[in-house]
């Protein structure tokens, strides 16, 4: 269903946490996610606390799902006393298998969690195959 191809993602995430670098559009910060199958759907949930719904972009091109979000600063005229929450751009790309129906993705954003429900394609669902039999008359074998 979901293909993971970046072996250095965890190292990048740890480095960004230690160095505290803000994500930019050219070098976005990764966002945490959960992915699981629920019946005939594949569910992916992204944590985006404090991100406005209009600051989230969701794109699908072929079998690549891209989620980008931006957490903006509070304001320009404020004197920040404590700033521990990461700001900037967050991004995640998922390589989806051919067994998912990317034309019918449902996206919901509630309580800082973006939840995508991707239906399993009909051609990928288990199905019964009827077995036919030929009830021909017995054949004589010449030896």
């Amino acid at each position: 269903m979901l293909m993971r191809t970046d072996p250095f993602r965890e190292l990048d995430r740890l480095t960004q946490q230690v160095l505290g670098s803000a994500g930019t559009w050219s070098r976005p910060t990764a966002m945490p996610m959960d992915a699981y199958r629920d019946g005939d759907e594949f569910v992916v949930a992204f944590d985006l606390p404090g991100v406005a719904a209009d600051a989230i972009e969701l794109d699908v091109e072929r079998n690549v799902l891209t989620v980008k979000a931006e957490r903006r600063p509070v304001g320009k005229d404020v004197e920040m006393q404590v700033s521990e929450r990461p700001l900037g751009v967050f991004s995640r790309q998922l390589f989806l298998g051919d067994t998912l129906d990317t034309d019918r993705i449902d996206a919901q954003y509630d309580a800082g969690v973006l939840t995508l429900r991707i239906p399993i394609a009909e051609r990928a669902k288990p199905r019964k195959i009827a077995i036919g039999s030929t009830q021909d008359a017995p054949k004589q074998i010449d030896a």
Side-chain angles (χ1 to χ4, degrees):
M1 297 296 169
L2 178 68
M3 295 176 269
R4 297 191 71 163
T5 59
D6 188 359
F8 300 106
R9 182 170 301 280
E10 293 300 320
L11 181 61
D12 288 343
R13 188 176 303 167
L14 179 64
T15 303
Q16 288 173 348
Q17 285 177 349
V18 170
L19 299 178
S21 61
T24 64
W25 285 102
S26 60
R27 290 186 72 68
T29 304
M31 64 185 79
M33 71 166 209
D34 289 334
Y36 55 92
R37 184 171 177 168
D38 183 17
D40 288 340
E41 291 181 321
F42 192 70
V43 181
V44 185
F46 298 95
D47 281 347
L48 296 170
V51 175
D54 63 344
I56 300 172
E57 292 180 15
L58 183 60
D59 298 314
V60 177
E61 184 175 342
R62 295 187 185 166
N63 286 353
V64 179
L65 172 74
T66 304
V67 179
K68 280 192 175 182
E70 183 177 10
R71 183 179 298 130
R72 298 176 181 114
V74 176
K76 295 181 181 182
D77 296 334
V78 291
E79 183 181 337
M80 189 62 76
Q81 299 298 315
V82 177
S83 178
E84 294 179 349
R85 297 176 13 179
L87 299 175
V89 179
F90 304 88
S91 179
R92 195 75 184 249
Q93 275 192 329
L94 302 177
F95 297 92
L96 305 176
D98 292 333
T99 59
L100 299 175
D101 188 356
T102 57
D103 292 332
R104 300 186 315 147
I105 295 176
D106 176 51
Q108 300 292 324
Y109 186 61
D110 186 38
V113 178
L114 174 65
T115 304
L116 307 178
R117 295 187 173 279
I118 310 167
I120 306 295
E122 289 297 322
R123 67 181 179 277
K125 292 180 182 176
R127 60 192 178 279
K128 299 278 185 187
I129 299 174
I131 301 173
S133 66
T134 56
Q135 295 291 332
D136 293 344
K139 295 182 182 179
Q140 181 178 354
I141 300 175
D142 295 325

